[in-house]
Amino acid sequence: MSFMKGDLLMKTRKLVKGMAKAEPVWLKAMEQAPPATFPRAEGKVQKISLPEDVYIKKFFQKHPESLYHDDIQINGFKPVPARLFAQRVLEFKEQGVNEEEAMQVADMEYRAEKKMKKNAYSRLKEIAHLLGKSPPPNPYPSAIKKIQAKERKYVRDRFYNPSIVKMVQVMKEERAAEAQDRMRGGGW
């Protein structure tokens, strides 16, 4: 039925009228109360853009290391640095500050916050060292380090998982056999 145009009701009517299908029990009820039809977009669907999108792009051009922060954190309420930067620029513009100055101030705030977090963690490490304890994990890791921490178990897995070690051994044996075939002259 995919080659026919129309919704389920229209397609079923055509099949019944052409005697390709027996009339289903639900057809009369559906004709009396047809399902709701939703309007379709005409042409291309317009891209949704927010006022802060321009400033987010400028932020990523200036700070490409922030590209790896999660845009959507389902379990977190704190927005990513790029969105905070853009919202701050828009706040300054509403207060009457020109765009360039607003971006400079927002950038200074971002850098100050980043530096403050780095200093706080270094102080935590100093305190742990004075107490003779191991330093705590960084509460403000970079986005790349977060990703690497998630992947670390899989990286280690390739060395200690017996099935993976077995696959690697088989691959090594196959390569060795291919190399011997080439040496004998049976290869190229």
Side-chain angles (χ1 to χ4, degrees):
M1 288 192 340
S2 63
F3 60 88
M4 283 192 268
K5 289 187 177 182
D7 59 352
L8 177 68
L9 185 61
M10 185 182 267
K11 289 178 183 179
T12 309
R13 274 191 207 136
K14 286 180 183 179
L15 289 172
V16 170
K17 187 177 177 184
M19 294 185 206
K21 182 176 184 176
E23 184 174 329
V25 179
W26 51 264
L27 186 63
K28 285 183 183 175
M30 199 168 186
E31 285 174 342
Q32 291 174 356
T37 56
F38 298 101
R40 294 187 179 257
E42 295 174 10
K44 279 191 169 182
V45 178
Q46 292 180 349
K47 184 177 180 183
I48 298 172
S49 63
L50 301 173
E52 66 238 28
D53 288 348
V54 175
Y55 303 112
I56 290 172
K57 286 179 185 175
K58 289 181 181 179
F59 177 82
F60 285 137
Q61 287 173 350
K62 199 166 195 174
H63 304 285
E65 72 278 357
S66 293
L67 274 170
Y68 301 104
H69 283 281
D70 254 345
D71 277 342
I72 300 170
Q73 292 183 351
I74 304 294
N75 59 352
F77 295 101
K78 189 175 180 188
V80 293
R83 195 151 304 277
L84 286 173
F85 172 84
Q87 289 171 351
R88 198 72 176 124
V89 170
L90 289 174
E91 285 175 17
F92 286 132
K93 283 183 68 177
E94 285 177 6
Q95 294 172 3
V97 179
N98 70 10
E99 183 177 333
E100 193 171 308
E101 289 177 4
M103 286 182 60
Q104 287 176 349
V105 172
D107 190 51
M108 283 187 347
E109 289 177 356
Y110 169 71
R111 289 175 191 255
E113 183 182 354
K114 198 172 174 183
K115 188 174 184 179
M116 183 183 65
K117 287 179 178 180
K118 191 173 184 180
N119 289 340
Y121 180 61
S122 64
R123 183 70 182 131
L124 268 174
K125 287 196 308 190
E126 287 176 13
I127 292 171
H129 181 69
L130 291 173
L131 295 175
K133 297 181 180 178
S134 62
N138 189 352
Y140 314 110
S142 72
I144 295 172
K145 290 190 179 181
K146 281 184 185 175
I147 293 168
Q148 288 174 343
K150 289 178 186 173
E151 293 175 346
R152 191 168 290 127
K153 69 177 183 179
Y154 300 111
V155 172
R156 288 188 184 142
D157 203 31
R158 68 179 176 179
F159 296 115
Y160 302 110
N161 188 339
S163 62
I164 293 176
V165 171
K166 189 176 181 179
M167 286 185 342
V168 169
Q169 188 64 33
V170 168
M171 289 173 64
K172 284 181 181 178
E173 290 171 1
E174 288 174 358
R175 277 195 202 133
E178 287 176 12
Q180 283 182 350
D181 285 347
R182 275 192 235 128
M183 294 294 274
R184 289 186 200 143
W188 307 40

